[in-house]
Structure formats: structure tokens, C-alpha cells
Amino acid sequence: MKKILAIVLVLAMALSLAACGGNTGSSAPAGDSSTAGGSTAAESITYWSTWTSEEPQAKVIAEAAAAFEENTGIHVNIEWKGRDIATILAAALDGGEDIDVFDDDFQRMSSPTQFAPYCYDLEEMAAAVGYDDFAVAALPTAVRRWSGSLTCIPYQPYTSGVFFTMSSFEKAGLVDENGNAIVPTTWDEFLTTCQALKGAGYTALAQDDAYTMYTYGFLLARLIGQEAVSTLVKEGGWAANEAAKQAAQAIVDLKENGYLSSTSPDAYPAGENEIGFGTASMVINASWVPSEITSNTDCNETWGFFNFPDMGGTDPATVANIGAQAMAVNKNSANPQAAFDFIMFITSGEWDQTMALETSSIPADTRNTEWPEMIAGVRDGFNAQTDVYDWNMGLNDNADIKESLTAYLAQLFEGTMTAQEFVDSMDALY
Amino acid sequence: MKKNKEYKVAEPINWKKEAKLLPGYIILMLWVIFTIVLLVWILAASLSTSRDIYSGNVFSFSTGLHFENYATAWSTQNVSVFFLNSILYAGVALVGIQLISAPAAYVLSRFEFKGNKLFKNCFVLAMSIPSIMIVLPLFSLATQWHLTGTRTLLIILYICLNIPFTTTFLLNFFGSLSRTYEEAAAIDGCSPIRTFWVIMLPLAQPGLVTVGIFNFLAVWNEYFLAMIFASSDRLKNVGMGLFTMVQAMTSTGNMGGLFAAVIIVFLPTFIIYLFLSEKIIAGITAGGVKG
């Protein structure tokens, strides 16, 4: 019986291999390195991508690469490395691998201790095309702040704040006569909003374990600014820092008042998925979250957004974590101008607009005015932003304490640690 | 003359003996049930939707059975390329490993010479070095010599990195063979090399088959080296391909497709075991009895 079953399964596999084996060539996206062999283009460049071939971003880039080749005659060999590019890129560049363009998170690309030293200085080429006139200003500003010059071109930017479903706000009576959401601007107003949502039967704020530092970072950076957060994590002095305790207390209060789920922090993405299932309302996250929750839960929600509230501290509500992916030219590239032209082709104009619409993300080119419907509510808040936080708002600046900080924050969100115990535990790490 | 029919008489169950084995049976049953539950869950998830999976209703099939998850996983993820690459890498590496390790194990186990013990110790030492330690220097060298992006490099690495284990494994099998075979062959005028290929190698077949299966499955599912050296789509094997599919489907929220891809990738090793389970078990135990 075992043998018969095995034979049937082998035959099924062999037949499907035979049927589908011929699709290999035709399913490879245009510009993929598997079709590069035998290219008769006079010039070609090689692009190592942080995307995998089946992600929507990769499909847009592949189509753009084909269009680029049609326009310029320059063939783009694309290697879809996925997120592991962060692991292998430095070794590849050190070894002299033939790479003209590469991309990754824009903070890693701009960091002098990570990929910035491998990047070609793009200031001159960017000035020649008037890049600063149409870029999202905060992004190249951040790149220049980190690396000292324009070493990469950000694309597919995201912003951050509080995302919510309109249906939950409507049910909680948090909409005006025109049906617009009444959004809080201060922390006290935020707590009032949470109470109304709780009264309507919702978990007011979803919280996943992957984003506990994000939430705490927002609270703390609002109070004392990102630079002071960075100093605190590097040098300690948590118990003596009133803001550190105040931010921790804010989390304790959220838990004690029942504004967080009883299982918070949930194992990602269970917490945010509760919004898609209609049992939670808000989440503090970045602008990919509506698309993510919709994909995970197949929900049909209309999304709203407001900036993380003002805490009455150093930073106003117009500061947020803004980030992006970024493309750079290898400083040893034999074709820097062609590589830059390809980057501009993808990150501005028609293909940037296509990227935004296909991936539900923000256009990197401010001349592209069409935003995806899912994040249309983000637009006003994004345009009003005045400064940029790093990811986790400076809390990442001490790798030695990061693991412990995450563990203690989990206990805060679980409700098993007081704010005083939290700051004392943090001080004990130094 | 008519042959007498053979009748098999069922032996009566010895309940006393079975009772002594009960704790073992209970542990085995628990493990089997656990494994079956996991596999059934994955199978159900492969026919389900992301919403049902995330809400914990994998077995509800509220929107029906979604066989299109398999079509999506197969057609959009280049799965046939991953399988063909894995077959190539595993098949060629298997032959290469056996061709090098079998003679090496034979010589080390049957002949006394200076450095014999040193070689054996070196093979054992090599087994203790994790590949993660040497992979980045290897990558750096491969990049400098422009060997990256080729199937040849990956196959060479698979062969070289599996030789220590295979050679050490085969030492016992060759060591347990009687010397009378070689003596008889020598008397008949057979050279030592011909003796090895014609007489001794076939006798070590259980060990060769067992270690061959281990090597095949290890190379088939291998991920880390493929990630470093074969990250181009056309070179990816099943291990790396599965990771790529998981990454892509996680980012697009297609969890049903993700589990369908897992089933597709898991099936060949499952089938191999169905065919070869008796040989694997025989091979593991065969080398333990001398004489």
C-alpha cells in the first residue's frame, strides 16, 4: 500500500514537473539575470535587490528595468537577493563583485558603519537633475545627516503614527457631522478616544511584541527628543530621568485602564490582525500597516490616520519616524552615470507613481500626487511633518541593552512590571 | 508433485511482554499524534485563506477548499526551477562524495600507514567546524576568483563539506568486512584497486546507500550555502527557494500559498522515505554488528 501510494505521488510529481518545466523561461521577470545570458546590449548594469522576485515591488522594478532598457539600450541584470542582502552585501562588495546598483533600508544605506562607505557620492549627479526640488525633503536631509552627503536615493517612503479603522470610530461616536474622524492631538485627548472605543466594545490600541520599542520610543522621544533618548540608552540614568518613568507609566496606565488587549503584547501579527477582525481599533505603526492588515485578514476597512499625539514635551506632534528603502551606486561601479540614471528612472516620475499605487506606499517624488486609496488619510499628516525620528527613536543606539529593554517593555505591556521597576531594571544594566 | 500450501498461524499476543513495552508505546504514540496533527494542520492551511489561518480557523474552510493556492505557489514561484536545481546539486554531489569518500574510507580502515590516525582525526575535526565559520571567507575568495553565480562552485562546496562525515561514517562498514575477500582476490591475481571496486565496494552497499540517502537529503534541503552562493533565482535550490517563497508570501500576506509551497517542497523527501525507509533503517543498524 505504501509503495503504491509512493508510486502515485512520484507520477503526479513527475507529470507536474514535465508540465511546468517549460514555464521557467517565460515566468522569469524581464531584466532578471536568468535572461541576461546572451544579452547583446552594448552596455549593461547589475542591480542587487533587497526584494524577492515575487514581491509587488520587484514586479514594478522588473517592468521598469525593461522599460529602461527600451529607452536607453542599457540592460539591467537583476539579482533578487531578498532581505539577506544585508548579510552578504558587504562581503560581496569587499570581494569586488560586479555590482552597479544595490538597495536596502535607507538608514543602513546611509550609516557610516554599514553601507555608506561603499556608496558613490551622488551630490553632483543629483544636482544635475534637480533632485532636491522634487524629493520628499526629510529623506535626503536624513541621508545627508547620517552619511555626510547624498550617498543614496530613498524610494518607497513610509511615515508613522496612529492608524485606525473608520468603522470603529463611527461606532464609538468619534466622527463629526460630515463623517470625518475626530482625531486626538494631545495625549489626554488620546486617552479620551481610547475610553470611547473601549465603551464601544473595542480593544482601543493593538500592540504586537515586534513594536513595543516603537511605541515606547514614540512616547519618550515626544517628551525629551530623540537625541536625549539616544544619550539615555547609551549612558543610563533611567531612574533619574522623569520622562523615562513617565513614558513607562503611560504604558502601565493604558494596560490598567483596559485600553490594551488582555494578551498584549501579542505575538506579531496577531495584535494588529485584531483590527482586521473588527475587535481592535488603533495601532501605532508605519504606513505599511493598513495594507499588511488587509492582506492578512482580507478585511474591507476604510483607514484613518493621525500623528502620534503631543505629550507636552520637547517634540511636537509633527515629528515622526519616516523611512524608506534607498538605492545606491557602488563607488567602484564602471557605469556610475548609467546606474544613477536607472535609479532616477525607478524613484521618480512614472515608475515612482506606479510603485506607490502597486505597493500601497507613499510616492517618493512629490510631483506624483496620486496616493493609494488605502493610505490617502496619511497625506495631510505626512505633509505636515517637520522632522524625522530614526527607527525606534534612538532606542536602537545601544545594542548591548536592546534585548533586555525589549524584555522589560514586554513586561510593561503585560502589566507585570511597574514603571519604577522598569527604570530600576534598566539602570541595573549599566 | 503438488507443493504443500504454507499456512501462517498467528502467534497469540503475549500481554505480559506487551505490557512491559507500554511506556515506550505511549511515548511513541504521543510523538506520532503530534507529528500527524502538525502535518494535517499544514495541509489544511494550504487549502485555506490568510484570514482563516490568522483567526485560528484553519479547519473551518469557510470559503471552501482553495486548491488554487498550489497553482499559485507552483506557477508564480519558479518551483520547478528549484526542484531541478536541487536534483542536479544533490545528484552530482552524491556521486562526487561517494567517489571520493568510499576509497578514502577503505584505505583508512584497511591499511596501516604513517599518518593514518592523523587523517582520521582530521576528518573528525573537520566535521566539528560549522560551515557558518568558513562561509564568508569562502565567499570572499569565490568573489575574487569570479566563481560566484555558478552551479559548479556550489556542487564543489557540497562535495567538499560532506566528505568528512561520509568518510568517517563508512570507516566502520569497510572495517567490518572480512579480509578473506581480499586474500582470495589476491590469490586470483586481482589488483588491490580492482579488488576495491569489484569486490569490497559492493559489500559495503548498506553503508553506501544509507550515507548516500543522508547526503542526498542534506544537499536537497540545504539552505545556508545556497543563500550565500546561489542567491540568483536560476540557481536556487529547494531550501533557498522555499525561504524566498516564504518571504514573498509573508510580505504579500498569502499564507495559504505559503503553506502550499511548504507541502510541495516537503513531498519529495517524504516520497523518498516511503521508498527507502527499510534501507535507511537497515543501513543505520548494519554497521553495528561485527563478524
Side-chain angles (χ1 to χ4, degrees):
Chain A
M1 181 61 200
K2 197 162 70 162
K3 297 284 195 271
I4 294 169
L5 176 63
I7 289 166
V8 166
L9 289 170
V10 166
L11 278 173
M13 197 172 71
L15 282 170
S16 51
L17 267 174
C20 300
N23 290 342
T24 305
S26 59
S27 67
D32 187 281
S33 56
S34 64
T35 60
S39 163
T40 56
E43 198 176 339
S44 68
I45 56 174
T46 299
Y47 160 46
W48 278 30
S49 176
T50 188
W51 308 107
T52 54
S53 58
E54 292 310 318
E55 292 183 273
Q57 292 84 353
K59 290 181 176 165
V60 173
I61 290 172
E63 284 173 25
F68 181 75
E69 182 173 0
E70 217 176 287
N71 286 2
T72 63
I74 299 171
H75 181 75
V76 184
N77 301 316
I78 307 179
E79 299 269 347
W80 304 108
K81 300 299 188 188
R83 305 303 177 273
D84 290 324
I85 195 172
T87 312
I88 59 177
L89 183 62
L93 292 169
D94 284 336
E97 183 81 28
D98 186 20
I99 304 170
D100 296 288
V101 179
F102 52 90
D103 62 354
D104 195 13
D105 173 78
F106 92 133
Q107 199 167 340
R108 277 197 291 271
M109 294 289 278
S110 312
S111 167
T113 56
Q114 291 186 276
F115 298 133
Y118 299 101
C119 299
Y120 196 96
D121 191 330
L122 301 174
E123 289 287 4
E124 250 181 67
M125 287 192 273
V129 299
Y131 171 68
D132 285 318
D133 296 334
F134 57 80
V136 174
L139 296 172
T141 301
V143 170
R144 288 177 172 115
R145 175 159 48 92
W146 291 320
S147 62
S149 70
L150 189 67
T151 51
C152 57
I153 302 294
Y155 73 101
Q156 210 200 334
Y158 64 83
T159 186
S160 58
V162 186
F163 294 84
F164 61 91
T165 52
M166 282 301 296
S167 60
S168 62
F169 266 47
E170 282 161 8
K171 199 172 167 196
L174 293 168
V175 293
D176 63 21
E177 59 273 8
N178 297 322
N180 297 320
I182 302 168
V183 296
T185 56
T186 67
W187 187 250
D188 287 339
E189 288 174 5
F190 179 76
L191 293 175
T192 306
T193 303
C194 287
Q195 184 60 40
L197 288 163
K198 183 186 171 188
Y202 286 95
T203 297
L205 186 67
Q207 181 65 56
D208 284 311
D209 54 3
Y211 294 103
T212 52
M213 281 177 71
Y214 206 63
T215 302
Y216 182 75
F218 247 126
L219 287 162
L220 191 55
R222 278 286 187 266
L223 290 168
I224 58 176
Q226 181 176 277
E227 240 183 88
V229 173
S230 179
T231 306
L232 178 66
V233 296
K234 286 181 207 166
E235 296 175 9
W238 291 76
N241 191 312
E242 270 311 307
K245 193 174 165 186
Q246 186 183 341
Q249 188 61 46
I251 295 171
V252 171
D253 291 342
L254 285 173
K255 184 73 178 187
E256 283 181 353
N257 289 328
Y259 301 150
L260 298 170
S261 118
S262 60
T263 51
S264 73
D266 292 289
Y268 170 80
E272 67 182 37
N273 285 347
E274 289 303 318
I275 299 175
F277 296 136
T279 54
S281 173
M282 303 185 288
V283 65
I284 299 165
N285 212 303
S287 51
W288 58 65
V289 84
S291 172
E292 193 171 84
I293 294 173
T294 303
S295 295
N296 289 348
T297 64
D298 202 23
C299 67
N300 195 19
E301 294 280 0
T302 304
W303 296 89
F305 168 82
F306 56 89
N307 287 331
F308 191 91
D310 192 325
M311 302 276 296
T314 304
D315 286 352
T318 51
V319 187
N321 166 236
I322 301 178
Q325 307 300 314
M327 287 187 168
V329 177
N330 181 1
K331 69 177 183 189
N332 296 321
S333 168
N335 310 292
Q337 187 61 54
F340 180 76
D341 291 342
F342 174 65
I343 291 174
M344 278 293 111
F345 195 78
I346 302 258
T347 62
S348 64
E350 174 197 345
W351 289 102
D352 172 64
Q353 180 71 85
T354 306
M355 178 74 81
L357 294 174
E358 293 295 316
T359 64
S360 293
S361 59
I362 299 171
D365 184 340
T366 54
R367 297 169 300 188
N368 290 326
T369 54
E370 193 181 347
W371 281 48
E373 200 183 312
M374 202 175 286
I375 56 168
V378 175
R379 193 172 190 157
D380 291 340
F382 180 70
N383 289 336
Q385 275 153 7
T386 54
D387 205 347
V388 172
Y389 288 143
D390 297 346
W391 184 261
N392 285 342
M393 298 82 188
L395 290 176
N396 283 348
D397 291 353
N398 185 346
D400 293 336
I401 59 135
K402 194 175 169 185
E403 211 176 299
S404 299
L405 173 58
T406 307
Y408 296 145
L409 284 171
Q411 291 181 59
L412 273 183
F413 279 99
E414 285 166 6
T416 55
M417 188 179 252
T418 65
Q420 189 62 53
E421 286 168 347
F422 171 76
V423 293
D424 290 340
S425 301
M426 288 306 300
D427 271 337
L429 298 172
Y430 293 82
Chain B
M1 198 163 105
K2 236 183 176 177
K3 258 189 167 176
N4 288 333
K5 254 190 178 177
E6 272 189 28
Y7 291 96
K8 277 193 174 168
V9 178
E11 276 187 33
I13 297 174
N14 185 340
W15 288 107
K16 259 191 176 170
K17 186 183 167 191
E18 296 300 329
K20 281 185 191 165
L21 297 172
L22 192 60
Y25 279 132
I26 289 173
I27 292 169
L28 265 175
M29 284 309 299
L30 284 174
W31 181 84
V32 167
I33 290 168
F34 176 70
T35 306
I36 290 173
V37 164
L38 285 181
L39 289 175
V40 168
W41 193 95
I42 293 172
L43 187 62
S46 71
L47 296 169
S48 195
T49 61
S50 295
R51 185 179 177 93
D52 284 343
I53 292 168
Y54 275 122
S55 61
N57 297 320
V58 154
F59 296 105
S60 68
F61 301 115
S62 53
T63 52
L65 295 173
H66 292 266
F67 291 101
E68 71 274 13
N69 289 340
Y70 284 89
T72 305
W74 186 267
S75 62
T76 63
Q77 299 290 342
N78 272 342
V79 180
S80 57
V81 173
F82 304 149
F83 274 124
L84 290 170
N85 281 332
S86 268
I87 289 171
L88 178 67
Y89 298 148
V92 176
L94 171 63
V95 171
I97 293 166
Q98 302 270 28
L99 280 176
I100 296 172
S101 294
Y106 174 69
V107 165
L108 287 171
S109 64
R110 311 287 284 185
F111 295 90
E112 293 294 329
F113 57 90
K114 252 190 179 167
N116 182 310
K117 204 166 179 196
L118 175 66
F119 274 115
K120 283 182 190 168
N121 289 337
C122 284
F123 278 122
V124 174
L125 190 67
M127 277 165 48
S128 67
I129 298 174
S131 56
I132 197 168
M133 262 179 71
I134 57 171
V135 74
L136 283 179
L138 279 174
F139 182 77
S140 199
L141 286 171
T143 309
Q144 286 173 31
W145 296 336
H146 301 287
L147 290 174
T148 54
T150 64
R151 291 188 175 88
T152 308
L153 173 67
L154 203 53
I155 291 171
I156 290 172
L157 288 173
Y158 285 143
I159 292 172
C160 293
L161 292 173
N162 284 295
I163 281 172
F165 166 74
T166 308
T167 307
T168 309
F169 187 91
L170 290 173
L171 284 174
N172 258 352
F173 282 91
F174 281 111
S176 66
L177 297 174
S178 172
R179 291 193 181 275
T180 53
Y181 293 110
E182 285 147 313
E183 288 163 4
I187 289 169
D188 286 342
C190 195
S191 69
I193 291 177
R194 195 151 179 253
T195 303
F196 167 72
W197 288 110
V198 173
I199 298 171
M200 307 308 285
L201 191 65
L203 287 172
Q205 192 197 44
L208 290 169
V209 168
T210 304
V211 80
I213 293 166
F214 288 152
N215 284 329
F216 186 90
L217 292 176
V219 174
W220 177 272
N221 289 319
E222 202 280 327
Y223 164 75
F224 189 66
L225 289 179
M227 177 188 77
I228 302 290
F229 294 100
S231 52
S232 162
D233 271 358
R234 66 185 173 87
L235 301 177
K236 281 180 184 167
N237 64 351
V238 155
M240 188 60 203
L242 178 61
F243 177 76
T244 305
M245 288 190 277
V246 168
Q247 221 175 40
M249 287 180 171
T250 304
S251 67
T252 56
N254 184 1
M255 300 305 286
L258 186 156
F259 286 107
V262 166
I263 293 285
I264 290 171
V265 167
F266 144 83
L267 222 44
T269 44
F270 181 66
I271 291 169
I272 287 172
Y273 181 74
L274 280 180
F275 269 125
L276 300 170
S277 57
E278 283 166 12
K279 283 203 185 292
I280 291 172
I281 293 164
I284 289 169
T285 53
V289 179
K290 275 197 181 274

